[in-house]
Amino acid sequence: MGNADYVYPSSNVERAHRVAIPPSQPFVKSLKYNLKETFFPDDPLRQFKNQTPSRKFLLGLQHFLPILEWAPRYTFEFLRADIIAGITIASLAIPQGISYAKLANLPPILGLYSSFVPPLVYAMMGSSRDLAVGTVAVASLLTASMLGNEVNANENPKLYLHLAFTATFFAGVFQASLGLLRLGFIVDFLSHATIVGFMAGAATVVCLQQLKGILGLDHFTHATDLVSVMRSVFTQTHQWRWESAVLGCCFLFFLLIARYLSKRRPKFFWISAMGPLTSVVLGSLLVYLTHAERHGVQVIGHLKKGLNPPSFGDLVFVSPHLTTAIKTGIITGVIALAEGIAVGRSFAMFKNYHIDGNKEMIAIGTMNIVGSCTSCHLTTGPFSRSAVNFNAGCKTAVSNIVMALTVMVTLLFLTPLFHYTPLVVLSSIIISAMLGLIDYEAAIHLWNVDKFDFIVCISAYVGVVFGSVEMGLVIAVAISLLRVLLFVARPRTFILGNIPNSIVYRNVEQYPNASTVPGVLILEIEAPIYFANSSYLRERISRWIDEEEDKLKSSLETSLQYVILDMGAVGNIDTSGIGMFEEVKKITDRRGLKLVLANPGSEVIKKLNKSKFIEKIGHEWIFLTVGEAVTACNFMLHTCKPNSMKHDQSDAYNNV
């Protein structure tokens, strides 16, 4: 053998440091630490340390009811700003609520109910100052799609309504449970690319569904895919109503112009915010004065006065529909939660304050549980309404209370005014809102930065548009998880070289001026080593050795003597990973090479020590840095003579 037969002469070369093996931790203590980092990374109990019992009780109340924390500091200036913001978002919430209730195949009055009770609950429990609570189009579409597969809303409206309440209840239970159990990281599996594609696909589907209202069709497909919708539209050309189509296009043009002006001049945000309510008022007046309802223009009709009736007794907890309600609740709950938290965090960054994700889950979940018992369907913090709230200058969650009180006045006194509101106006409001969710600029950014993320985005979009909402979501999440598995199962490895005039070693592909060390192969592993990637890493390291030996043989340079593995990026290792190292050591030994480790982390070195691998490789061949490892290998290459000639490289390869 060659240099692999020699022991590193520590007496001749001074080592700066030795790699320390951390003291062994009791299993219970280690498990406690890992659980804390998983479920309590924000250390929520820190504020309770060294506090009196009464103070702890008050802090506990403030934790679950943040209104108790900021209410004592509330000022008249805040109230004035919140009143303006609350009335502004109410003007958007009323028409949007009615529209999204129709989208979910629910009675329009439920849209107003859902803009009254849930905002009051969130104002007490939510930690965001800018989130404006209400119904959302995507969740409404999901509700209609998933419940519609089980129960026809037209044939059995009572059962459909009860299932919608039940799905909202289970969505709230699921959301609150995630917050209480500190499982908010589950929502992180919905990546940004997934949400962009899913939202764009859902927005496209929602717009296509509104062709029923725009064209004044009485019968329309319950399917959401593009082919079914287009077939339903073009097989009923004889039933298209030009009066409805003209009215819808005019109001849609008006809403798009209003939003365009608001984007160009942010200080005129109120033009876009007042657009939906203005459309409702103008449309209702037009229908009332021209009696357009007699000429094919469909109207909302009667909306009963009064506040939310209780609906706890309407919840369905028996078969055969319970499974559908639970599934619908969980899926819509995850989507609503992801949107609400993402919107809340976005606006919190603008104002430089922090929102607690787990608190938000509890707040959103609680308001949906309460809402399901007071005739509301699923609510969260939609982007459009929250953006209006933010631009209107809201200061606290009191803007939600003002909005709820405005809706309450509407429920008590103004609902008869909506009798002549044309459905085509509601369709126009939905389409204009949905077009804002098709974020093509984000898709272009994904293409420029990360092609795989773009594939995830497009997969979600295509799945929703050509399949179903659920299919698009499943496809996108599956591809995202596949990517995570690929990162874990196929980690990247690099050859490192020395940056000129330094002791720094970097990837030779990234730094072409970095020079490799003759006779030494330096490899960096960029991931923890687990059972999922240990076999791959063993084969990949062997391949690197083969390629390096072939290159040296063809160039007639010094033969390969040392293989250094840079472990700086290896955060952890399991028994399969340790087994991989043992196999790699056997491979290098058979080839007459010496395996050297550099910069192992505390968890890695601890497990290597417990498995006795350090004894096999020799503690003197584990170094703190790559530079020290290369120095030691160079010393051996230039000062030591082998006791026997090294076998020919080809013979060594054949013996592996």
Side-chain angles (χ1 to χ4, degrees):
M1 290 292 181
N3 292 328
D5 293 326
Y6 287 91
V7 176
Y8 178 72
S10 57
S11 59
N12 296 332
V13 176
E14 195 67 35
R15 295 185 64 172
H17 303 282
R18 288 179 68 92
V19 176
I21 300 174
S24 179
Q25 295 280 358
F27 173 74
V28 174
K29 185 176 181 180
S30 177
L31 178 63
K32 181 179 177 182
Y33 173 81
N34 290 330
L35 290 176
K36 179 183 176 183
E37 290 303 307
T38 301
F39 297 107
F40 302 95
D42 54 343
D43 193 13
L45 300 179
R46 180 172 56 87
Q47 59 179 330
F48 294 94
K49 292 179 180 178
N50 304 319
Q51 299 290 342
T52 62
S54 59
R55 179 62 178 167
K56 289 181 179 179
F57 177 75
L58 179 60
L59 290 173
L61 283 179
Q62 290 177 348
H63 180 80
F64 290 102
L65 297 172
I67 192 173
L68 298 177
E69 181 181 355
W70 54 262
R73 304 191 302 270
Y74 199 73
T75 65
F76 179 77
E77 289 185 6
F78 285 1
L79 178 61
R80 184 173 57 183
D82 286 335
I83 288 176
I84 295 173
I87 294 175
T88 304
I89 57 176
S91 68
L92 179 65
I94 292 170
Q96 270 193 352
I98 295 173
S99 303
Y100 294 159
K102 291 291 293 181
L103 181 61
N105 292 328
L106 294 168
I109 193 66
L110 260 67
L112 298 181
Y113 291 160
S114 302
S115 297
F116 173 48
V117 173
L120 295 175
V121 177
Y122 183 83
M124 293 187 292
M125 302 186 67
S127 59
S128 173
R129 306 171 194 166
D130 303 282
L131 207 66
V133 171
T135 54
V136 285
V138 176
S140 299
L141 175 68
L142 274 169
T143 300
S145 174
M146 299 183 71
L147 293 183
N149 293 332
E150 184 78 13
V151 179
N152 190 306
N154 296 321
E155 297 175 0
N156 199 341
K158 186 175 181 180
L159 177 59
Y160 183 89
L161 178 63
H162 293 177
L163 285 179
F165 292 151
T166 309
T168 302
F169 174 80
F170 282 113
V173 170
F174 179 72
Q175 292 167 335
S177 299
L178 288 181
L180 289 171
L181 298 176
R182 314 287 294 183
L183 297 174
F185 58 85
I186 292 177
V187 180
D188 294 335
F189 282 100
L190 292 175
S191 66
H192 174 66
T194 301
I195 292 175
V196 169
F198 177 78
M199 288 296 186
T204 303
V205 168
V206 170
C207 290
L208 292 173
Q209 288 284 325
Q210 300 318 301
L211 291 176
K212 175 186 178 182
I214 294 291
L215 299 174
L217 299 175
D218 293 319
H219 304 288
F220 205 71
T221 179
H222 294 290
T224 59
D225 62 284
L226 176 66
V227 176
S228 299
V229 172
M230 290 294 100
R231 184 187 298 118
S232 183
V233 168
F234 288 103
T235 55
Q236 301 184 74
T237 52
H238 58 286
Q239 295 185 11
W240 291 7
R241 294 179 176 138
W242 67 267
E243 301 93 340
S244 180
V246 169
L247 192 63
C249 290
C250 289
F251 279 110
L252 179 59
F253 180 75
F254 165 71
L255 291 167
L256 293 178
I257 288 294
R259 188 167 50 161
Y260 174 77
L261 291 175
S262 297
K263 280 189 174 181
R264 290 293 300 271
R265 302 291 181 119
K267 65 180 180 179
F268 293 130
F269 70 92
W270 54 270
I271 296 178
S272 178
M274 296 296 291
L277 187 59
T278 303
S279 299
V280 168
V281 172
L282 293 177
S284 300
L285 285 174
L286 184 62
V287 170
Y288 178 76
L289 296 174
T290 63
H291 301 287
E293 75 276 11
R294 301 175 186 174
H295 303 282
V297 177
Q298 301 171 344
V299 297
I300 289 178
H302 175 68
L303 290 179
K304 62 181 181 180
K305 285 185 180 182
L307 301 181
N308 304 33
S311 58
F312 179 76
D314 297 333
L315 301 182
V316 180
F317 295 118
V318 294
S319 296
H321 306 300
L322 179 60
T323 303
T324 301
I326 294 175
K327 183 174 71 171
T328 304
I330 291 176
I331 293 179
T332 56
V334 169
I335 296 299
L337 204 58
E339 181 174 358
I341 292 177
V343 170
R345 284 176 175 170
S346 299
F347 289 113
M349 285 195 304
F350 284 124
K351 290 188 177 179
N352 196 28
Y353 69 93
H354 173 73
I355 67 170
D356 188 325
N358 289 294
K359 278 185 185 179
E360 288 296 285
M361 292 177 188
I362 296 172
I364 294 174
T366 303
M367 75 181 186
N368 279 314
I369 293 173
V370 175
S372 69
C373 300
T374 53
S375 301
C376 303
H377 66 110
L378 191 70
T379 53
T380 185
F383 177 80
S384 58
R385 204 176 299 185
S386 300
V388 170
N389 193 33
F390 176 83
N391 289 325
C394 71
K395 299 299 182 183
T396 67
V398 169
S399 60
N400 277 293
I401 298 176
V402 174
M403 177 187 70
L405 294 177
T406 306
V407 173
M408 180 187 73
V409 173
T410 303
L411 285 168
L412 290 174
F413 306 108
L414 304 179
T415 50
L417 299 178
F418 294 97
H419 182 280
Y420 290 100
T421 300
L423 296 183
V424 67
V425 170
L426 302 183
S427 296
S428 301
I429 292 171
I430 292 175
I431 292 175
S432 66
M434 290 303 96
L435 291 177
L437 293 180
I438 303 177
D439 194 351
Y440 62 90
E441 292 180 352
I444 294 173
H445 178 72
L446 291 174
W447 171 262
N448 292 330
V449 175
D450 192 323
K451 301 296 189 293
F452 200 104
D453 267 351
F454 179 79
I455 292 174
V456 172
C457 175
I458 293 301
S459 300
Y461 181 83
V462 172
V464 172
V465 173
F466 291 95
S468 65
V469 178
E470 306 97 284
M471 182 186 297
L473 183 62
V474 169
I475 289 174
V477 172
I479 294 177
S480 297
L481 291 177
L482 176 63
R483 186 182 194 185
V484 173
L485 292 176
L486 287 175
F487 280 150
V488 174
R490 295 293 183 266
R492 303 193 67 180
T493 55
F494 303 102
I495 292 181
L496 301 184
N498 178 238
I499 301 295
N501 303 317
S502 75
I503 58 171
V504 177
Y505 291 81
R506 290 293 182 266
N507 178 9
V508 294
E509 293 181 2
Q510 184 180 0
Y511 298 91
N513 63 330
S515 58
T516 57
V517 181
V520 181
L521 174 63
I522 311 170
L523 297 176
E524 179 183 8
I525 302 174
E526 273 203 337
I529 304 175
Y530 296 121
F531 64 93
N533 60 25
S534 58
S535 296
Y536 166 77
L537 285 173
R538 180 191 66 242
E539 299 299 332
R540 190 66 186 96
I541 292 171
S542 296
R543 190 145 49 95
W544 278 121
I545 295 173
D546 292 340
E547 293 171 2
E548 185 70 12
E549 288 184 332
D550 291 343
K551 185 178 72 172
L552 293 175
K553 186 188 297 184
S554 62
S555 62
L556 301 177
E557 295 180 9
T558 306
S559 62
L560 183 63
Q561 300 290 323
Y562 295 94
V563 178
I564 300 175
L565 298 182
D566 181 4
M567 309 281 288
V570 181
N572 212 327
I573 191 171
D574 67 358
T575 52
S576 298
I578 296 171
M580 182 275 291
F581 276 121
E582 292 174 345
E583 293 181 32
V584 169
K585 185 179 185 306
K586 291 177 183 178
I587 292 172
T588 54
D589 286 347
R590 286 198 295 267
R591 296 188 179 203
L593 309 175
K594 184 64 185 177
L595 180 64
V596 182
L597 303 184
N599 194 22
S602 61
E603 284 297 314
V604 174
I605 195 68
K606 188 193 307 181
K607 292 181 180 179
L608 292 179
N609 180 56
K610 289 182 177 179
S611 66
K612 309 297 182 183
F613 181 75
I614 291 180
E615 296 179 7
K616 297 175 184 177
I617 193 175
H619 201 289
E620 65 274 13
W621 292 109
I622 302 177
F623 295 87
L624 196 62
T625 65
V626 173
E628 289 186 10
V630 172
T631 300
C633 294
N634 274 331
F635 175 83
M636 294 293 296
L637 285 170
H638 294 100
T639 62
C640 298
K641 300 289 184 180
N643 292 329
S644 59
M645 295 297 294
K646 183 180 179 181
H647 294 295
D648 183 78
Q649 293 284 354
S650 60
D651 292 336
Y653 179 83
N654 293 330
N655 290 330
V656 174

